[in-house]
């Protein structure tokens, strides 16, 4: 599936965002850190995902209760 590189990119960004701090005081602080990392990723992604309608259709079949 085409989305593998995107998922790895997101995981890498999240690891980098949390690597500097091994312990977070609360779960909310961890979620805020990951949210800020996701917002930074979103700003960097300018082009649309190739074949998104096809990918979405496949994901909706695999994870029908989640989409």
């Amino acid at each position: 599936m085409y989305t593998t590189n995107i998922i790895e990119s997101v995981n890498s960004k999240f690891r980098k965002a949390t690597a500097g701090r091994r312990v977070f005081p609360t779960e909310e602080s961890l979620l805020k850190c990951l949210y800020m990392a996701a917002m930074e990723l979103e700003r960097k992604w300018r082009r649309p995902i190739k074949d998104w309608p096809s990918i979405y259709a496949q994901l909706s079949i695999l994870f029908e209760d989640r989409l």
Side-chain angles (χ1 to χ4, degrees), residues 35-61:
Y35 175 79
M36 295 304 293
M39 291 296 104
E40 186 178 331
L41 272 175
E42 185 180 3
R43 276 184 253 138
K44 289 182 179 182
W45 291 344
R46 297 289 184 207
R47 59 185 175 154
I49 298 173
K50 180 181 173 186
D51 298 327
W52 176 246
S54 173
I55 294 168
Y56 187 80
Q58 291 174 15
L59 290 173
S60 65
I61 291 170

Side-chain angles (χ1 to χ4, degrees), residues 19-46:
R21 300 184 75 188
R22 293 290 177 193
V23 178
F24 288 90
T26 64
E27 185 176 328
E28 184 178 349
S29 64
L30 171 62
L31 291 176
K32 285 181 182 180
C33 180
L34 293 176
Y35 175 79
M36 295 304 293
M39 291 296 104
E40 186 178 331
L41 272 175
E42 185 180 3
R43 276 184 253 138
K44 289 182 179 182
W45 291 344
R46 297 289 184 207

